[in-house]
Amino acid sequence: MSSILATTLGRDFGKAPSVNRAVGEISLEIPRGELFGLIGPDGAGKTTLLRMMAGLLPPTRGSVRVEGIDPFGKEADHARDVIGLVPQEHSLYGDLSVGENLDFFADLYGLTGDDLRTRRDRLLSITRLGPFQARRASQLSGGMYKKLAVACALLHQPEVLLLDEPTNGVDPPSRRELWELLYEFVEGGMTVVVTTPYMDEATRCHRVALMDRGEFIALAPPQQLIDSLDAAVLEVALASVPEAREKATAVVEASPLVVASSPLGASLRVVVERGNEPAVAAELAGLGTLVPAAASFEDLFLTAIARRERDAKSSTARKEAA
Amino acid sequence: MTVRSIVVEGLGRRFGDFVAVRDVSFHVEKGEIFGYLGANGAGKSTTIRMLSGLLEPTSGRALVAGHDIAKAPDKVKASIGYMSQKFSLYLDLTVRENLEFFGGIYGSWGRALSRRVDETLESIDMRSLAETSTAALPGGLRQRLALGSALFHKPPIVFLDEPTAGVDPASRREFWKLIRGISSAGTTVFVTTHYMDEAEYCARIGLMVAGKLVALDTPAALKSEWVPGRILRFEGEGLVRALSEIRRTHGVVEAQSFGNGVHVRFDPGHTTDQSVLAAVAALPAVKVRLTEPVEATLEDVFLAAADRKAEDAVRGGAS
Ligand SMILES: Nc1ncnc2c1ncn2[C@@H]1O[C@H](COP(=O)(O)OP(=O)(O)OP(=O)(O)O)[C@@H](O)[C@H]1O
Ligand SMILES: [Mg+2]
C-alpha cells in the first residue's frame, strides 16, 4: 500500500484576479519506508504541499491520503497520530529548559518507559544538547534551538514523518548524524518526506522531486536525475596568475553562455550547454582551462532553475512582442 | 599598507558560570571577507554581538572601526551594519518602506533619504520590487533586503550572521555575488555560515570550538594543516555500510560519507591510489561505480577540527 497518495493536489492563495497558485496540480505516490525529498527554490510551494499532507491546510483541488486516511475527512483525528510534522518555524517554550521542553513533548505524545528514555538520550547525544539540559530554550544559540525543536518532534515515532527544512542553521557534524537517524527510521518502515536547501542532503534521499512554481519539474532517484543532465559540466583548472579565481568567477558570472556556476573547493565549476564549450574556454583564456568534471546534484538544480527562468523570460518577451 | 578594521584581544564573554567566548584574539583587515565558522553554540553570534556593540564583553577588548566596543558602543553601532541570525524586517511594509524605516533610524530624511533608498535598491538589485509587500517575498529576497538595510548607512564594516540560512543554491549564489561586490568596494565583511562551499569565498577563516578560536588561516592553509594526505571519492553501492571496514584499510586515515558517496583519505607515504581502490572494491557487498581524486573541502576541515573530542578538550581543559 502506498503511504502517501496525492491526486491532482493543489492549493491557491488569495482571491481573483490575483490568485497565487502555490501548488498547481500534483499527483504523487510514496511507498512506505521511502525517504522522499522535496527540492526547489524559495517559494516553490514545498511548505504548502507538506502542510496539506499533514492535514493542516485544506487543498483547493484534488485529494491526499496518508496511510489510507483522508486528513481532512472523518478520520482526521486518527491522521494526527499517524503523521508527525516538523515545521520550518518552531515554537518551543522559551522559558522552559531543554529538558523540560523534551518532557513536555513526551507528555503531549503520551510517551513513557524505556523506549522514551533511550530515544531521548540518543537525541540529546546527536544534537549535542546533553550538557545543556538545564538551559532555557530562549538562551540557546540559533542552531541549538533548531536542533531542540527537531528533537522534540522526533521523540515520538509516527508512521509518516514530514520535515520542513530540519537542518537550516545546523552545523555539518549534526546534520550528518541527523541524516543517519533518518536512515534508521526509514529502515524501520517509517515514511519520511523532507525539504532541504542543502544539495548534499538531496542526494541522500531515495527519490527527489524537483519543484518550481507549484509544479514538479522532475521526479526520480537523485543519481538518475544527475545522470540525465544534458549539458557539459566542467571544472575550471585555474592558471597560476594572481587572483585567478576572482577573475574567472567574474568572467563566468557575466557570461551568457554559462548556465550555472558554483564554487568547487578553491576552484569553480561551470555548466554550459553542449557545443558552447570552446566559446567559454575562449572567454577564460589566460585565467584557466576547462576540464570535464562529474556532475553533481547542485549542477542539476542550478541548471534546471536557470533554464526555467530563461524560458519564462523568453515567453514573456514573446508575449510582449506579440 | 593594510588597515585593520577589527582588532580583537583576549575577548571573552561569560553567562553566569558558562563561558560562551573565551580569550579570543584576531584582527580583520579593511575590505577583507572574514569567515567565522564553528559548531552550533561555539560562540559565533556572541562574538558578533560583542563586536557590534550590542553585548558587553566580560573580559578582553576589541576595536571596531577604531572604536572601543566597551567604551564607545554607540560609535561602534554607527560604524557597522549588522544582519542578525533572526533578522527583522517589517512584513507589513513594502520593500521601499522597510528601507525608509531603516534610514529614519539613522537620521536620514527628505530627498537624501529617498536618494539613498534608490541607491540601496539598485545595489541589491531589487529596484523592480520596491513596491512589493515584504511578506510576499521569498526567503532569498528577504535576505537580500535585510542586507540592503544593513548597508543602508554605508558602514565600513558589516557583520552578517548566517545571512543565507535556509536559502536555495541559486539565491545563495546571487547573495554571494553581492557580498564579493561590497568587499571589493572596500567594505569589511565579517560573516558566519554553515554552508562550507560559501566559506571558500572568504579570504581567511576563524574556526571556533566551544568558545575558543582554534584555527585561523586561509582556506588553503587550513586544508593542508587539518586534512593532510590524499582523498579519493567513491560512489557506488554498499559503501556507507562498509565505512568501518574502509577505515581499517592499510594507510587510510579517515573515511566519511559525503553526499551520495564516501571520501577516503589516506597517507600517500604509506599506500597508493591503486591499493586503496583495490582494497575498497574487494570488500563484500561493495560495488564501486566511480572513483576520483578530490580536493579536501572546508567541510573536511570542519569535521577534523570541530569534532566532539575537540569540544570536550576545550570544555574540560579550560574551565
Ligand atoms: N543569554 C544567555 N544566557 C546563557 N547562555 C547563553 C546566552 N546567550 C548565549 N548563550 C550560550 O552561549 C553559547 C554560544 O552561543 P552563540 O549564539 O554565540 O553560538 P553560535 O556559535 O552562534 O551558534 P549557532 O551556530 O547555533 O548560531 C551557547 O551555548 C548559548 O546557549
Ligand atoms: Mg549563531
Side-chain angles (χ1 to χ4, degrees), chain A residues 141-142, chain B residues 44-45 85 161-162:
Chain A
S141 77
Chain B
K44 303 179 294 295
S45 298
Q85 204 167 345
D161 197 356
E162 289 190 43

Side-chain angles (χ1 to χ4, degrees), chain B residues 198-220:
Chain B
E198 294 183 346
E200 294 281 357
Y201 289 123
C202 300
R204 287 186 308 146
I205 288 169
L207 196 70
M208 295 278 287
V209 174
K212 223 173 148 174
L213 187 65
V214 297
L216 194 165
D217 221 321
T218 61

Side-chain angles (χ1 to χ4, degrees), chain B residues 63-95:
Chain B
L63 294 178
V64 173
H67 306 297
D68 189 305
I69 57 168
K71 293 186 191 129
D74 290 336
K75 288 203 174 122
V76 169
K77 279 182 224 158
S79 9
I80 60 121
Y82 169 60
M83 185 170 157
S84 87
Q85 204 167 345
K86 300 180 207 140
F87 57 81
S88 48
L89 294 170
Y90 292 90
L91 293 184
D92 49 339
L93 299 184
T94 65
V95 167

Side-chain angles (χ1 to χ4, degrees), chain A residues 181-238:
Chain A
L181 187 68
L182 292 186
Y183 275 135
E184 270 176 42
F185 286 170
V186 293
E187 265 168 33
M190 191 188 284
T191 307
V192 176
V193 183
V194 60
T195 72
T196 175
Y198 284 96
M199 297 297 113
D200 62 331
E201 294 182 357
T203 63
R204 290 171 177 231
C205 299
H206 296 150
R207 282 193 304 159
V208 296
L210 265 191
M211 195 173 179
D212 187 34
R213 292 168 224 191
E215 303 290 350
F216 285 177
I217 54 176
L219 195 169
Q223 190 56 49
Q224 207 168 308
L225 288 176
I226 296 171
D227 292 342
S228 72
L229 177 61
D230 57 340
V233 179
L234 305 155
E235 180 183 346
V236 182
L238 293 169

Side-chain angles (χ1 to χ4, degrees), chain B residues 26-84:
Chain B
F26 62 87
H27 59 85
V28 181
E29 274 150 32
K30 181 176 182 306
E32 186 174 11
I33 302 182
F34 185 85
Y36 211 47
L37 306 185
N40 297 130
K44 303 179 294 295
S45 298
T46 306
T47 307
I48 287 186
R49 282 163 56 215
M50 288 191 283
L51 296 181
S52 306
L54 298 169
L55 180 73
E56 249 183 86
T58 47
S59 56
R61 57 180 226 123
L63 294 178
V64 173
H67 306 297
D68 189 305
I69 57 168
K71 293 186 191 129
D74 290 336
K75 288 203 174 122
V76 169
K77 279 182 224 158
S79 9
I80 60 121
Y82 169 60
M83 185 170 157
S84 87

Side-chain angles (χ1 to χ4, degrees), chain A residues 42 171 176 223 245 253 298, chain B residues 40 140 173 180 200 257:
Chain A
D42 299 329
D171 62 48
R176 259 158 213 267
Q223 190 56 49
R245 184 175 65 160
E253 284 178 348
E298 181 149 333
Chain B
N40 297 130
R173 223 40 99 245
R180 291 199 306 275
E200 294 281 357
S257 68

